[in-house]
Amino acid sequence: MKVSFFETGRYVPAPGTPREWPVPSGAYDPEIGAGAYRAMIDRARLVEELGFDWISLSEHHYSPRILTPSPPLSAAWIAAQVKKIKIALLGPIVPQSNPIRIAEELGMLDTMAGGRLVVGLLRGTTNEYLTYDLNPKEARERADEGMELILKAWTEPQPFGWQGRYFQYRTVSVWPRPLQQPYPPTYALGISRESCELAARNRLGLGVSYGPFEVMAKSTRYYREQAAQYGWEPGPDDIIYRANMVLGETDAEAETILKERAGIAPFPVRAGLRDALLEADKRNVAGEARPANVGGVLPTTFIGGPDTVINQIKRCREEIGAGVLDLSLHPPGSGDVDALMSAIELFGKKVLPHIRDI
Amino acid sequence: MSFAYFALKRFLKGIEVSEAFREGFVEADGFHIRYMEAGKGPVLVHLHGAGGLRLSPAHDLLARNYRVIAFEMPGFGASAENTKTQSMPELAATMAAVADKLGLDRYNLMGTSFGGKTALWLALQQPERVLALILEAPAAIRPEGAAPPPSAPEELARRLYAYPERQPPSPPVDPAVRAKTQKLVARLRGPDRDRDLETQLPQLKAATLVVFGTRDTMIPPEMGHFYRELIPNCHLVFVYDSGHAIGAERPEAFVEVVADFLERHEAFVISRTNTVIHP
């Protein structure tokens, strides 16, 4: 099993900072922000030293909770200061970005990072579409098309034009291309039928996140079935499972921590807005309809002391087939950075050495 | 008008002709050639693929601004079996003579798949005639060992379209027509990498646009770059989410770029899209 640390740009908001998304930017404290970015490097060095395989980054907007609106900038910042660990962008929100710009920036990043880049291409969570005025009803199709265009931009040897449904370019010829050829390990991130099919069709990995093992397993099973139709078989490294983990020295300690954190939604939104977004953004698990998570709590699927968690990771490997765990070891937005560092150390010392052969 | 009327019209358009197109015939080079024509404006001659002449929604759209003349090449469709033509350059010379006979002096030329190769030869033979060249999913350069187009209708539909279920039903093909056409195509399609053609492509004068669908399983879109490498003024465009029959699957996207290229040639890369929201 490979392990990735999900780095969330830990900004510690002053007491009384509103939580509802979008969080007023007038509440931002530049000094705290500067500290948050410095601390990213401290954590990157720690997880590298502990032997984590990847450090992963995401794109979120208008909130102190995950302070990384531009994932290529976060990646460049970290890549320049650690030497071995892979940098996983999981990932740029494709439907609200310029796909050519993504292809260019990731080409630069992989080259600057000496071929240490891992790429996840993401449709994005629903509230994020408000950031750049993206119609949620168009997000799915824009994401699929943008992802295909990024792959084309990395592989087509001659300048080309693109007549899409949502994107049109008459001249595309990306420099630099990624150092890893033809492109870095790339994953479609999502559990929907469309994500699984796109990944299978293009021989990409699949990244699933947060849900219970049995739900995630529906997607990864469908992904493997689709891949078989295209004549290939994904291996364990082709499946990432991003999850929350509450790790204690003992099971009892983990349960206590979990109770303290229960019910905190990462990006709470006003009820009327939430309902309208749910109406506009239809989602599915491997083709079975399910509501989007708008402003909701994310489940925690690994809970316990080291031995319990190791067993849960074995079960995850068997049920989901994931060969890469992308872990959030402490809730983003929590002010207790020391507890986060302790959780990383505990995982690195008591769990990581025992899951390599899983 | 009832829904059934429009459904019938769409069905008929799929299997036969759109309303605006008129049938005509011309004698040239010893052949009796059928063609379909519609529209006014600069002339756009079209040479069909290995399946024969079948008008698509793209023909209708192009006929709004061009005088579109779609020829049925000798030996295809209901025409007499063609045992005379022995090579693609010969077929191209015949089609040039046909255009001559219709009094077409200078024209834009579009070739689809198999007809893309005919169009390339015609443009090499008659550089002064061809204003611009459009190659829709051309079959002139194929991966080594590529199989000829399948004949079973269902398999053919899967190879022509990314979404065969969205297409109107295919017209039934007379087995005798299919057999005679396959023989002709097998004789004329030439090798997958045709050195005779490829060594001449650097001399091609016409501004050329090569268009491939990103989901073409008949000719991989990865063949597109070869044209750009060999032809001096060549541009490559991918139509997203289309299979081999781009004019049928993504007609608006296809015609928009084709018409723009015919009007502006290489300057078609300059955007004229207006992005003002509230002037």
Side-chain angles (χ1 to χ4, degrees), chain A residues 256-270:
Chain A
T256 308
I257 300 170
L258 184 70
K259 278 191 197 116
E260 286 165 8
R261 293 179 193 161
I264 301 173
F267 300 106
V269 294
R270 197 173 285 257

Side-chain angles (χ1 to χ4, degrees), chain B residues 147-232:
Chain B
S151 58
E154 278 184 12
E155 171 62 10
L156 183 63
R158 274 199 297 275
R159 301 282 299 281
L160 282 175
Y161 309 113
Y163 302 95
E165 69 280 5
R166 296 179 190 171
Q167 292 298 313
S170 294
V173 179
D174 179 348
V177 169
R178 187 184 297 149
K180 117 190 139 171
T181 307
Q182 278 180 343
K183 217 158 69 178
L184 182 66
V185 169
R187 190 163 77 239
L188 301 185
R189 70 198 281 266
D192 295 327
R193 298 302 303 264
D194 189 334
R195 303 294 159 203
D196 283 353
L197 176 68
E198 290 186 28
T199 52
Q200 293 198 47
L201 288 180
Q203 275 78 55
L204 192 69
K205 295 282 186 289
T208 302
L209 176 69
V210 173
V211 187
F212 271 101
T214 57
R215 300 188 66 176
D216 190 333
T217 56
M218 190 84 83
I219 306 287
E222 288 72 28
M223 296 293 104
H225 71 86
F226 291 115
Y227 297 90
R228 209 179 181 287
E229 283 152 14
L230 290 165
I231 299 171

Side-chain angles (χ1 to χ4, degrees), chain B residues 119-164:
Chain B
L120 278 168
W121 276 114
L122 199 161
L124 284 165
Q125 293 166 355
Q126 307 272 344
E128 70 290 351
R129 296 288 170 115
V130 178
L131 295 164
L133 184 60
I134 308 290
L135 303 175
E136 179 193 19
I141 299 175
R142 304 182 298 265
E144 304 275 1
S151 58
E154 278 184 12
E155 171 62 10
L156 183 63
R158 274 199 297 275
R159 301 282 299 281
L160 282 175
Y161 309 113
Y163 302 95

